[in-house]
Amino acid sequence: MTEIFERTLQIGWGDMDANGHMRNSAYMDMASNVRMMYFVAHGITGTEFARWRIGPITLKDVLEYRRELHFLDEVRVVLEGVGRSEDGSRFRLRNTFYRPDGKLAATLTTDGAWLDLERRRIIRPTDAILAAMQGMTKTADFQVLPSVLKD
């Protein structure tokens, strides 16, 4: 069984909106940071992505709010795999946000793919990226997604 990947982050002033709670785009920023922390924890740094000329792209985000988060709250952000194509070209990830009291604050489900930064086309990721993706904790509703690659 794989270990659940999570990080605890603190909500900063720049994460706030005029209503006094965490702004919607701050959830996406934190989720993206935790995803990249996952790859770094698996030996894939920004330098590697640049050398390979490959990067993750977001195709769709669905953000569902449950409870508010506020300035200087510590938020626990969990990363899990919800789906992946067999060739790894396409993926669906879920970041779950928990308040300091342990209650669910929000979930962000992201559909994405791997982009060749030179050809500007979706590609199969490197073996190292695919192995990291395969090692990610899977949700109970994990699905095999269709590939977006044309043979």
Side-chain angles (χ1 to χ4, degrees):
M1 183 172 172
T2 55
E3 184 177 331
I4 293 177
F5 188 82
E6 63 180 66
R7 291 292 182 265
T8 299
L9 306 172
Q10 189 170 42
I11 298 171
W13 184 252
D15 298 322
M16 304 305 296
D17 69 11
N19 295 324
H21 56 253
M22 194 160 103
R23 61 183 166 76
N24 62 342
S25 57
Y27 285 93
M28 293 180 205
D29 290 342
M30 283 188 179
S32 295
N33 286 335
V34 170
R35 289 181 214 139
M36 295 315 291
M37 290 174 190
Y38 175 83
F39 287 107
V40 169
H42 289 83
I44 304 170
T45 65
T47 302
E48 294 298 310
F49 282 113
R51 185 171 60 83
W52 294 329
R53 301 291 297 141
I54 185 174
I57 58 169
T58 298
L59 302 172
K60 177 174 82 171
D61 282 317
V62 177
L63 183 54
E64 299 176 71
Y65 304 99
R66 298 289 181 241
R67 290 179 177 81
E68 292 182 336
L69 290 167
H70 302 283
F71 180 56
L72 296 180
D73 280 351
E74 288 193 344
V75 57
R76 184 168 57 97
V77 184
V78 175
L79 173 64
E80 297 174 291
V82 181
R84 185 180 58 255
S85 61
E86 288 183 15
D87 61 13
S89 62
R90 196 173 153 212
F91 55 84
R92 182 171 295 141
L93 304 175
R94 181 170 300 135
N95 289 96
T96 309
F97 298 79
Y98 294 95
R99 294 182 349 165
D101 62 7
K103 292 183 179 175
L104 176 66
T107 59
L108 174 63
T109 304
T110 301
D111 283 6
W114 295 101
L115 185 70
D116 178 315
L117 298 176
E118 291 180 11
R119 295 184 1 217
R120 310 309 285 179
R121 296 198 182 275
I122 294 174
I123 60 170
R124 180 190 184 280
T126 65
D127 289 341
I129 293 171
L130 186 56
M133 296 292 289
Q134 290 170 336
M136 190 178 290
T137 302
K138 295 178 183 173
T139 61
D141 59 345
F142 184 90
Q143 302 175 341
V144 175
L145 304 174
S147 175
V148 294
L149 299 180
K150 296 178 176 83
D151 293 329

